[in-house]
Amino acid sequence: MRLQIIRLVAYLGNQMFNQIFNREGVFRRGAPQYPPPYDQNAQGRGAENGEPPPPGYGPPPPYDGPQGMPMPGYDAAGDQWMARPQGIPVCPPGLEYLCYIDQLLVKQQVEIFEIITGWETANRYKVQNSLGQQVYYASEESDTCARQCCGASRGFIIHITDNTGQEVIRVTREFKCGAGCPCFACDDSWAHVVQVEAPVGNIVGYVKQRQSCFRPYYIITDAEHQEVFSMTGPPCCYHGCTWDQDFVVNANDGHTQVGKVSKQWSGLLKEMFTDADNFGISFPVNLDVKLKAVMLGAVFLIDFMYYEKSQNSSSSNNRGSM
């Protein structure tokens, strides 16, 4: 019990420090520490003068609401949501948000109950664009016993919803006893695999672990299991490293980089006493939105395989880093 209290006090102290001195979690290096507020007029002026939109975000749709009323896109907690782009043909419902962006930030939420008790709870995440506007909300569905007994090896379903609460993406991993060792991941039966649906019921791709010796290796496929990209991680994947850990996404030639998934350093106390992680995703702005959704699904597979530490058993940490 004393250890849990220390964890809680350390976390709260870390939160107070961050509120005073900085704001963590900015994916693009060199960007302002506080993302600029949603300014419709400023966005419109850039478009009218022929200036490109801010990196990672396309022009928002016009606001036709009553003058003097607050802009739509704020929830009860005051979080600002990205406006849903309109008039995009041949786009799966709910993926319109991904059409004009080239970066996403996935921030796992800290669970106070888990810090205090050590009881593994279902994960929750916020998915934001480069301006700090929330694009999606993701929540884990898994068995309570599996969370306590199987730790990060558990099967799960990640429900990804938009600002209306509509589920637009679903990421699923089945539990496989003994799976995950990179030396034997030559077949799907012995490898961790996530299936991505967008919308629910329509499979758009898979992220599959593949056999490797020193670096984590994955392939990203389409719905027909045809390889589209490969993804290679760092030699050491460890929860608590004080640097960003990049999983580089390459084209089929194995050399042309098309994007990456980065596990970002979250601060000493947060890394030590919680398993709440921050991830950044970058991809070409003109990439098929279905593949963008699959790359988002890759974040959850990486998180569970390497950074989802168990509060009850330290032996389950950092599986498969070699």
Side-chain angles (χ1 to χ4, degrees):
M1 185 63 183
R2 182 178 300 175
L3 177 60
Q4 307 302 336
I5 295 175
I6 293 174
R7 285 177 172 172
L8 177 60
V9 172
Y11 168 70
L12 294 177
N14 184 51
Q15 291 294 94
M16 293 178 61
F17 179 87
N18 289 330
Q19 288 291 330
I20 296 172
F21 292 101
N22 71 355
R23 184 173 180 177
E24 63 185 29
V26 176
F27 174 57
R28 186 185 293 273
R29 293 185 180 275
Q33 289 297 310
Y34 288 88
Y38 190 101
D39 186 343
Q40 185 189 13
N41 294 326
Q43 296 274 359
R45 284 197 299 271
E48 292 174 1
N49 296 334
E51 300 173 1
Y57 186 67
Y63 173 53
D64 297 324
Q67 295 297 322
M69 297 296 291
M71 286 289 293
Y74 290 87
D75 61 15
D79 293 325
Q80 188 178 17
W81 284 81
M82 175 181 173
R84 184 170 187 166
Q86 302 294 326
I88 302 176
V90 196
C91 181
L95 298 190
E96 298 93 342
Y97 299 94
L98 302 179
C99 288
Y100 298 125
I101 61 177
D102 60 6
Q103 293 182 21
L104 288 172
L105 179 65
V106 181
K107 303 177 72 173
Q108 185 176 351
Q109 304 301 286
V110 174
E111 305 292 347
I112 300 298
F113 179 78
E114 184 174 313
I115 296 175
I116 297 175
T117 65
W119 183 265
E120 187 71 27
T121 59
N123 291 346
R124 299 177 300 154
Y125 307 82
K126 288 183 178 181
V127 182
Q128 301 175 331
N129 63 19
S130 61
L131 295 184
Q133 298 167 332
Q134 189 161 336
V135 182
Y136 297 122
Y137 178 81
S139 58
E140 175 194 354
E141 176 189 345
S142 59
D143 183 80
T144 301
C145 291
R147 289 199 298 272
Q148 313 315 314
C149 301
C150 302
S153 298
R154 63 186 181 266
F156 60 78
I157 300 175
I158 302 294
H159 302 279
I160 302 177
T161 57
D162 62 12
N163 59 354
T164 67
Q166 180 70 32
E167 184 176 5
V168 296
I169 304 173
R170 178 176 292 180
V171 182
T172 305
R173 183 182 76 171
E174 297 180 355
F175 171 74
K176 297 179 181 178
C177 183
C181 178
C183 297
F184 300 101
C186 51
D187 183 82
D188 288 355
S189 302
W190 298 98
H192 283 305
V193 178
V194 293
Q195 171 186 286
V196 182
E197 303 169 59
V200 176
N202 179 45
I203 299 174
V204 294
Y206 301 85
V207 183
K208 303 182 179 186
Q209 181 190 21
R210 280 297 175 256
Q211 188 175 32
S212 61
C213 293
F214 299 104
R215 292 175 175 267
Y217 183 69
Y218 302 85
I219 60 172
I220 296 174
T221 77
D222 59 19
E224 285 72 41
H225 300 275
Q226 299 298 312
E227 182 177 345
V228 181
F229 301 134
S230 62
M231 183 168 61
T232 305
C236 177
C237 303
Y238 184 73
H239 190 290
C241 289
T242 57
W243 58 86
D244 292 352
Q245 301 173 58
D246 294 338
F247 291 74
V248 178
V249 179
N250 290 320
N252 277 334
D253 60 13
H255 303 291
T256 304
Q257 182 174 338
V258 297
K260 66 179 179 179
V261 175
S262 297
K263 161 64 175 67
Q264 300 178 342
W265 169 247
S266 301
L268 179 61
L269 296 179
K270 188 174 181 181
E271 293 279 350
M272 289 180 60
F273 296 111
T274 77
D275 58 1
D277 301 305
N278 292 340
F279 292 88
I281 316 170
S282 63
F283 37 63
V285 68
N286 60 349
L287 182 67
D288 187 338
V289 291
K290 296 178 182 179
L291 291 176
K292 291 182 180 181
V294 178
M295 289 184 64
L296 175 58
V299 167
F300 304 107
L301 179 59
I302 291 171
D303 183 30
F304 274 83
M305 287 191 65
Y306 302 107
Y307 306 108
E308 176 68 11
K309 63 182 181 181
S310 171
Q311 300 287 354
N312 299 323
S313 174
S314 60
S315 63
S316 64
N317 293 353
N318 310 313
R319 280 164 298 277
S321 62
M322 290 297 291

